[in-house]
Amino acid sequence: MFARAKLGGPSMAPELAFVQGRLGGEAFVADAGGELVGASAAVVFGVNGWIGGVAVLPERRGGGLGSALTAAAAHWIAEAGASTASLHATAMGRPVYERLGFAADGRWLRLAVTAGAGPVETARTVAADSSAGVGAGEAGGRDAAMADPLPGMQAGEAIGLGLSAAGPPEEARPAGPGGLDATMEEQPPQERVGELGGLGPPDPPVGVRAGRASDLEAVLALDRAVTGEERGRLLRVVWGSGCLVAEDSDGRVAGFHAHKPTGGPGATIARDPWAGVALQAAWQRPGTGATVVLPEANAAGRRALEVLGYQVTSATTLMRRGPAPAYRPREVFGGFNLFWG
């Protein structure tokens, strides 16, 4: 149904199953004589609930199904105790949502890089900390090492865009062949971080390393401060192998990157632009395609991705019904998706 409605890709059905099975969300369907002709879904993170997966088959559009499916999801969100319902609207869907009382709250961009075009090689992951783990009572029962390197990258290699876990900026090894260009390759790693986002060198320096179980509470606090939402249930499930943490010179968490629950790059949150840009560069897998979504207001994040070879492919309008949460879009350097941000 999603393929016929031209909404999302192959991950749509698994994402809705994840919302229902792991996040306590709900899905809604429109049925016509036994045929699935429309769908929507909802999930709540504290004061804010998200509506996504709103799709109607082309031949069934114009009869109010999209409005009904959205209204059902919004009603479920209110019944779950959230004061606000949020969603990402395409140009086609925006009038439907406006009639339901939703108002615009900025735009989000989708940026993509193809496998043949990049991204250019700018960084590699740090050594895994095999002592960090998570038990069956956490993160959905996963027991993989929390500090495993990103898929396709080698353990033991330091990130070339900041501090490694071991020492100050001058000890961080530069990236291997295939860097941004000759000028950037000659610059110190911390200056490279600033160049990516159109910034000066970070002060204090920023380090990026593999995430650990012990980082999770600081990660949850930072995510809460930036998004205004309680996404602990989600982050506890995905926090594991492939997650990254940016830290300042005092060892405090300045940002994090967590992968999508269905695979691939996910959310990147950072309290300053240098940490955000360093994380954006650190999770890249040179030579592979990827898609990132982020608020248009985050100019540093967009510039860094464009330097890494990404191009804007589409835009959506973030719309809300109810009071907007305490949301800081300039600190969102990547979202999980265009369902729950």
Side-chain angles (χ1 to χ4, degrees):
M1 194 279 295
F2 285 113
R4 289 177 60 193
K6 295 184 174 12
L7 179 72
S11 68
M12 281 299 299
E15 283 180 0
L16 294 192
F18 177 82
V19 165
Q20 283 188 294
R22 304 300 296 275
L23 300 183
E26 190 55 275
F28 308 88
V29 297
D31 180 286
E35 180 190 11
L36 183 64
V37 297
S40 66
V43 66
V44 166
F45 299 131
V47 299
N48 186 53
W50 287 94
I51 299 171
V54 181
V56 176
L57 292 181
E59 63 271 23
R60 295 283 182 169
R61 291 171 186 163
L65 279 180
S67 295
L69 288 161
T70 303
H75 177 75
W76 183 89
I77 286 171
E79 289 291 302
S83 57
T84 302
S86 301
L87 53 80
H88 287 276
T90 62
M92 181 175 65
R94 181 170 176 172
V96 174
Y97 305 131
E98 288 176 336
R99 288 194 293 270
L100 292 172
F102 287 82
D105 188 20
R107 296 203 314 165
W108 277 51
L109 306 176
R110 183 193 297 270
L111 298 95
V113 64
T114 61
V120 295
E121 184 170 0
T122 57
R124 297 186 185 275
T125 194
V126 295
D129 179 355
S130 60
S131 66
V134 56
E138 300 176 71
R142 293 166 59 177
D143 58 1
M146 298 294 286
D148 285 350
L150 288 172
M153 294 185 175
Q154 300 299 313
E157 294 181 297
I159 288 175
L161 288 168
L163 294 172
S164 70
E170 58 270 21
E171 293 180 14
R173 289 183 291 169
L180 295 178
D181 54 42
T183 302
M184 296 193 80
E185 283 299 325
E186 293 170 358
Q187 296 175 346
Q190 292 296 315
E191 287 192 24
R192 190 179 305 160
V193 173
E195 286 293 329
L196 279 173
L199 312 164
D203 184 20
V206 175
V208 178
R209 57 168 173 77
R212 305 171 185 144
S214 58
D215 297 319
L216 189 53
E217 290 308 312
V219 164
L220 295 178
L222 176 60
D223 188 74
R224 188 181 306 115
V226 172
T227 66
E229 300 176 275
E230 294 289 343
R231 302 199 299 182
R233 186 170 184 174
L234 167 63
L235 289 169
R236 284 187 172 91
V237 171
V238 302
W239 192 253
S241 177
C243 294
L244 297 172
V245 162
E247 60 182 17
D248 60 24
S249 57
D250 294 324
R252 295 173 299 186
V253 171
F256 69 88
H257 173 79
H259 55 77
K260 287 181 183 177
T262 53
T268 303
I269 302 291
R271 58 181 165 84
D272 64 64
W274 295 276
V277 168
L279 284 163
Q280 283 180 317
W283 65 256
Q284 303 295 330
R285 296 177 62 190
T288 63
T291 300
V292 179
V293 295
L294 84 167
E296 187 176 45
N298 191 333
R302 175 180 177 175
R303 182 184 187 279
L305 289 170
E306 290 175 337
V307 171
L308 290 167
Y310 287 73
Q311 294 182 337
V312 175
T313 60
S314 62
T316 61
T317 301
L318 173 58
M319 305 188 76
R320 304 191 193 272
R321 190 170 78 178
Y327 157 65
R328 306 201 299 242
R330 289 179 178 83
E331 297 175 29
V332 178
F333 287 79
F336 282 107
N337 50 41
L338 290 175
F339 178 169
W340 60 72

